[in-house]
Amino acid sequence: MLDVVLMRLNLCAVGRLRGGAEAELVIDYTNRFNRIGRNLKLGPLTIREVEGRKSGGPLTEASLLRRILPKGSLICCLDERGTVENSPAFARRMEVWRDAGWSDVSFIIGGADGIDNSLLNDADHLLSFGAMVWPHMLARVMLTEQIYRATSILAGGPYHRA
């Protein structure tokens, strides 16, 4: 392995994740990732949230999201028009980003009306979970699970069975 720096991950989302099954799963997958990620120079995964603005829409939300992005972060927006990847390909992508020296990678989940084009255009990568639109809270669960799965793949762990 190259001499790589620690790559922190940020899940930046519109809306607050309250209690319930989705929150428990996000916390569980985040904790799992944080435990095994540090040996691979990945992590921690931090959840950053902004309030949705019903009156401002995606443009206002994009402005709020930009405020919580770590300076110089690689930006990966979740968007149905993005690249659909299987789990091993996503793991390789995270490995490439880490080995390229990125100190922060920010995954962005937009609000009910999606992510404003100004932020999509600034993204380094668009990632899709398929053509279907997923509920905001399930997208968080799916993303944290895939981040954990990718790290498990990189670590050679038994979690991913392909």
Side-chain angles (χ1 to χ4, degrees):
M1 183 189 314
L2 300 171
D3 186 29
V4 296
V5 298
L6 177 71
M7 185 175 82
R8 295 176 297 268
L9 278 66
N10 308 281
L11 191 161
C12 303
V14 174
R16 305 282 180 199
L17 186 60
R18 310 264 186 250
E22 294 93 347
E24 290 176 21
L25 286 168
V26 167
I27 291 167
D28 181 48
Y29 288 124
T30 298
N31 289 338
R32 289 184 193 197
F33 165 79
N34 287 337
R35 275 194 301 274
I36 68 168
R38 72 179 75 122
N39 291 333
L40 299 169
K41 299 201 177 208
L42 297 170
L45 172 60
T46 302
I47 309 295
R48 300 170 185 261
E49 301 172 317
V50 299
E51 288 295 335
R53 300 279 191 235
K54 292 178 183 162
S55 61
L59 184 60
T60 300
E61 292 168 353
S63 176
L64 294 171
L65 285 164
R66 287 180 192 281
R67 290 184 199 162
I68 63 170
L69 292 174
K71 188 174 182 145
S73 179
L74 181 141
I75 298 171
C76 177
C77 292
L78 270 67
D79 185 85
E80 69 268 15
R81 296 158 294 200
T83 303
V84 176
E85 299 174 333
N86 64 23
S87 297
F90 181 62
R92 284 190 301 277
R93 181 175 301 281
M94 285 184 39
E95 183 178 43
V96 165
W97 287 341
R98 182 204 59 201
D99 292 351
W102 287 98
S103 59
D104 280 283
V105 171
S106 296
F107 294 94
I108 298 178
I109 299 175
D113 295 319
I115 300 171
D116 187 71
N117 284 334
S118 66
L119 188 50
L120 289 173
N121 292 336
D122 288 344
D124 299 286
H125 184 64
L126 300 180
L127 179 65
S128 174
F129 288 144
M132 294 180 180
V133 176
W134 293 93
H136 181 87
M137 298 309 164
L138 286 181
R140 287 188 193 207
V141 172
M142 291 167 32
L143 178 60
T144 54
E145 191 279 338
Q146 283 300 302
I147 288 171
Y148 165 65
R149 181 178 296 272
T151 307
S152 178
I153 289 168
L154 295 175
Y159 182 71
H160 181 73
R161 295 174 186 93

